[in-house]
C-alpha cells in the first residue's frame, strides 16, 4: 500500500467517503506525499511527455505570441508574464529565448511562476538560471500582483486540477465518492446515498438529456481559477492562453485517468505514484472566465493554432540548420505536435483577453 493510500484510508475512516476532488487533490498535491510534490514526472524515464518537452518550437511560438500580444497592447512598460504549472520550466526558457526578437518586450516582463511542487520549483529555477529576469514563485493566483497587465500561459495545467463526478441514477443525480470496499479491503468508487448541492452545477440542458448511468464531470477548482483569470484580465488588462487536452462541452463521460510509465493504470492502484488527469471541458472553462469579466476566443485545435503561428516555417529553418538525422527528428516532433494522430486535434487552445484587446493572434477571426 502506498503511503498516500494509508493517508486516504485514515481520512475516510474519520471523515467518511471522499469526493473525487479530495482524492485527486491529495494524490497529486498532498504537501508531503503528493505525486507532483515528490517527483519530476516528465520525459522518457518518467510517466508522460508534454509538448514543450517534445520540441523547443512549442515554447518559441508561444513566446512570439506573447510578444505580439504585448505589442498589440501598446507595448506597456511593465507586464506580468505568468505561467501556471510550468513543469520543468522548458516552455518558459524557450519562450523567453524566442521573445528576445521583439525589441523592448523582455525589459517590460516581470516573471511569475504559479507552482505548488517544491521539486519542480527547483527544476524550474535551474532551467531559468540564465533567463534575463528572476522568476517569483506563487502557490496560487491570489498572490499575483495587480499593478500591470498580465500575459498568462497554462499548458497541461487545468487537466491536473481535481474534478468531481456525478452520475445520473433512477433516483436522480448522485455524486461518485471514494470509499473502502469492505469485501475486498480496497479503495473503490461508491455512489452517494442521497442528492447533494453539487448537482446544481450541471448544465441544465445537459442534465435533462443525460441517460441514466452516465457520468458528468465538474471541475470547481479549474473554474475558480479561470474565473479569477477572467476578473484579473478585465481589471488589469492582458490575455491568457490555456492549452490542454479536452473537448467542447457540455458532454457526459468519465475521463479521469491514471498514467504511470507512459501507460494507463487503474486510478486506485498506486495513489500518489501515478499521474491523474481529466479532460478539460473548454466550454465550461470559458464560461467561468467570461463570468469573471473577460472576452473568450473560440476554441481552436493545437494543430491549427501552431500552424497559424508559423510552425512550418520554424521547422524548415531548424531542419536547414541541422544534420540529416536531427532534421528528421525535428520534422517528427512537428508532426507529433500538430498531427491528427498526435496532439494536433485532441489538444485545444482557449484564449482569454481583456475586452479592449484586438483579436488574439491565431485564435480570433481577424
Ligand atoms: N506545463 C508543463 C507541466 C504540466 S504538468 C508542461 O507542459 O510540461 C502540471 C504542472 O502543474 C506541474 O508543474 C504541477 O506541479 C503543477 N500543478 C499541479 N497542480 C497545481 C496547482 N494546484 N497549483 C499550481 N501548480 C500546480
Amino acid at each position: 500500500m502506498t503511503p498516500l493510500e494509508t493517508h486516504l484510508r485514515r481520512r475516510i475512516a474519520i471523515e467518511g467517503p471522499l469526493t473525487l476532488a479530495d482524492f485527486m487533490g491529495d494524490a497529486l498535491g498532498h504537501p508531503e506525499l503528493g505525486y507532483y510534490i515528490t517527483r519530476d514526472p516528465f520525459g522518457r524515464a518518467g510517466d508522460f511527455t508534454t509538448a514543450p518537452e517534445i520540441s523547443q518550437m512549442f515554447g518559441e511560438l508561444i513566446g512570439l505570441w506573447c510578444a505580439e500580444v504585448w505589442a498589440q497592447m501598446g507595448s506597456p512598460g511593465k507586464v506580468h508574464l505568468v505561467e501556471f504549472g510550468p513543469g520543468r520550466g522548458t516552455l518558459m526558457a524557450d519562450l523567453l529565448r524566442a521573445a528576445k526578437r521583439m525589441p523592448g518586450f523582455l525589459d517590460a516582463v516581470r516573471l511569475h511562476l504559479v507552482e505548488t511542487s517544491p521539486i519542480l520549483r527547483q527544476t524550474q529555477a535551474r532551467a531559468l538560471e540564465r533567463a534575463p529576469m528572476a522568476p517569483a514563485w506563487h502557490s496560487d493566483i491570489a498572490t499575483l500582483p495587480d499593478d500591470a497587465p498580465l500575459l498568462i500561459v497554462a499548458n497541461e495545467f487545468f487537466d491536473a486540477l481535481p474534478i468531481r463526478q456525478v452520475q445520473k441514477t433512477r433516483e436522480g443525480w448522485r455524486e461518485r465518492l471514494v470509499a473502502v470496499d469492505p469485501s475486498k479491503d480496497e479503495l473503490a468508487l461508491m455512489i452517494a446515498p442521497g442528492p447533494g448541492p453539487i448537482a446544481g452545477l450541471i448544465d441544465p440542458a445537459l442534465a435533462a438529456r443525460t441517460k441514466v448511468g452516465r457520468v458528468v464531470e465538474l471541475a470547481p477548482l479549474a473554474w475558480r481559477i479561470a474565473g479569477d483569470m477572467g476578473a484579473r484580465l478585465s481589471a488589469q488588462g492582458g490575455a491568457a492562453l490555456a492549452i490542454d487536452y479536452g473537448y467542447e462541452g457540455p458532454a457526459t463521460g468519465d475521463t479521469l485517468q491514471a498514467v504511470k510509465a507512459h501507460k494507463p493504470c487503474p486510478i486506485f492502484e498506486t495513489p500518489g505514484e501515478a499521474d491523474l488527469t481529466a479532460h478539460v471541458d473548454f466550454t465550461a472553462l470559458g464560461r467561468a472566465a467570461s463570468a469573471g469579466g473577460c472576452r473568450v476566443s473560440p476554441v481552436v485545435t493545437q494543430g491549427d493554432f501552431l500552424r497559424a503561428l508559423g510552425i512550418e516555417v520554424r521547422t524548415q529553418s531548424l531542419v536547414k540548420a541541422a544534420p540529416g538525422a536531427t532534421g528528421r527528428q525535428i520534422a517528427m516532433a512537428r508532426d507529433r505536435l500538430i498531427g491528427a494522430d498526435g496532439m494536433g486535434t485532441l489538444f485545444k487552445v482557449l484564449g482569454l483577453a481583456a475586452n479592449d484587446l484586438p483579436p488574439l493572434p491565431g485564435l480570433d477571426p481577424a
Side-chain angles (χ1 to χ4, degrees):
M1 191 180 302
T2 64
L4 190 87
E5 181 172 346
T6 308
H7 162 78
L8 289 168
R9 284 173 177 247
R10 207 154 38 211
R11 268 192 80 177
I12 292 167
I14 293 167
E15 300 172 38
L18 303 175
T19 66
L20 272 171
D22 291 333
F23 163 73
M24 211 174 156
D26 265 353
L28 296 180
H30 181 281
E32 272 173 38
L33 308 171
Y35 175 77
Y36 279 113
I37 310 301
T38 53
R39 75 201 67 217
D40 173 341
F42 305 98
R44 207 170 294 173
D47 293 316
F48 58 92
T49 304
T50 56
E53 305 299 332
I54 292 173
S55 166
Q56 68 185 72
M57 293 189 285
F58 189 76
E60 288 171 351
L61 292 169
I62 291 174
L64 298 178
W65 184 91
C66 287
E68 200 175 321
V69 173
W70 171 77
Q72 283 184 338
M73 287 168 8
S75 310
K78 183 168 167 184
V79 66
H80 296 295
L81 175 61
V82 187
E83 184 175 2
F84 282 74
R88 282 186 172 165
T90 311
L91 189 161
M92 188 50 73
D94 294 337
L95 181 161
L96 292 170
R97 193 181 57 250
K100 265 189 214 142
R101 284 207 236 153
M102 176 69 79
F105 176 60
L106 292 183
D107 296 329
V109 164
R110 309 292 182 275
L111 183 57
H112 302 270
L113 305 176
V114 181
E115 173 60 69
T116 41
S117 162
I119 288 201
L120 289 175
R121 282 185 181 198
Q122 283 175 21
T123 313
Q124 292 153 18
R126 278 197 299 277
L128 296 169
E129 237 161 34
R130 286 198 231 133
M133 72 293 289
W137 277 272
H138 303 259
S139 300
D140 190 271
I141 186 170
T143 56
L144 292 175
D146 56 10
D147 60 341
L150 297 163
L151 284 169
I152 297 175
V153 177
N155 185 61
E156 289 207 42
F157 168 72
F158 284 105
D159 69 67
L161 299 180
I163 56 139
R164 293 170 72 170
Q165 289 184 340
V166 283
Q167 187 164 5
K168 192 155 185 181
T169 70
R170 282 184 207 293
E171 290 74 43
W173 291 97
R174 296 289 183 270
E175 184 155 17
R176 299 177 98 196
L177 300 173
V178 181
V180 177
D181 175 347
S183 67
K184 296 193 191 129
D185 192 29
E186 278 173 9
L187 292 181
L189 282 173
M190 66 166 279
I191 302 285
I198 183 77
L201 293 179
I202 305 169
D203 179 274
L206 178 71
R209 68 165 190 265
T210 299
K211 296 206 174 70
V212 167
R214 297 293 294 170
V215 167
V216 171
E217 292 183 336
L218 305 159
L221 180 58
W223 299 344
R224 198 267 285 170
I225 295 173
D228 287 352
M229 284 182 182
R232 279 175 171 271
L233 291 175
S234 129
Q236 294 173 235
L241 210 50
I243 308 173
D244 228 306
Y245 46 118
Y247 55 92
E248 288 185 67
T252 61
D254 170 9
T255 75
L256 180 60
Q257 56 176 354
V259 165
K260 204 175 166 176
H262 300 267
K263 287 199 197 75
C265 64
I267 59 169
F268 296 132
E269 195 170 83
T270 53
E273 291 173 7
D275 187 32
L276 288 172
T277 63
H279 287 206
V280 173
D281 176 349
F282 281 98
T283 310
L285 205 64
R287 194 183 306 131
S290 156
C294 73
R295 199 179 77 204
V296 180
S297 303
V299 178
V300 169
T301 65
Q302 174 169 305
D304 285 346
F305 180 64
L306 295 178
R307 271 188 288 266
L309 299 189
I311 195 168
E312 296 295 356
V313 175
R314 184 71 188 129
T315 306
Q316 279 160 22
S317 70
L318 285 176
V319 168
K320 220 177 274 170
T326 317
R328 275 193 294 282
Q329 277 168 10
I330 294 165
M332 273 164 63
R334 172 210 49 204
D335 293 345
R336 223 171 133 189
L337 291 179
I338 65 174
D341 50 352
M343 308 171 86
T345 47
L346 175 60
F347 279 72
K348 304 196 171 57
V349 186
L350 182 72
L352 310 175
N355 290 297
D356 59 353
L357 271 195
L360 292 177
L363 295 173
D364 289 317

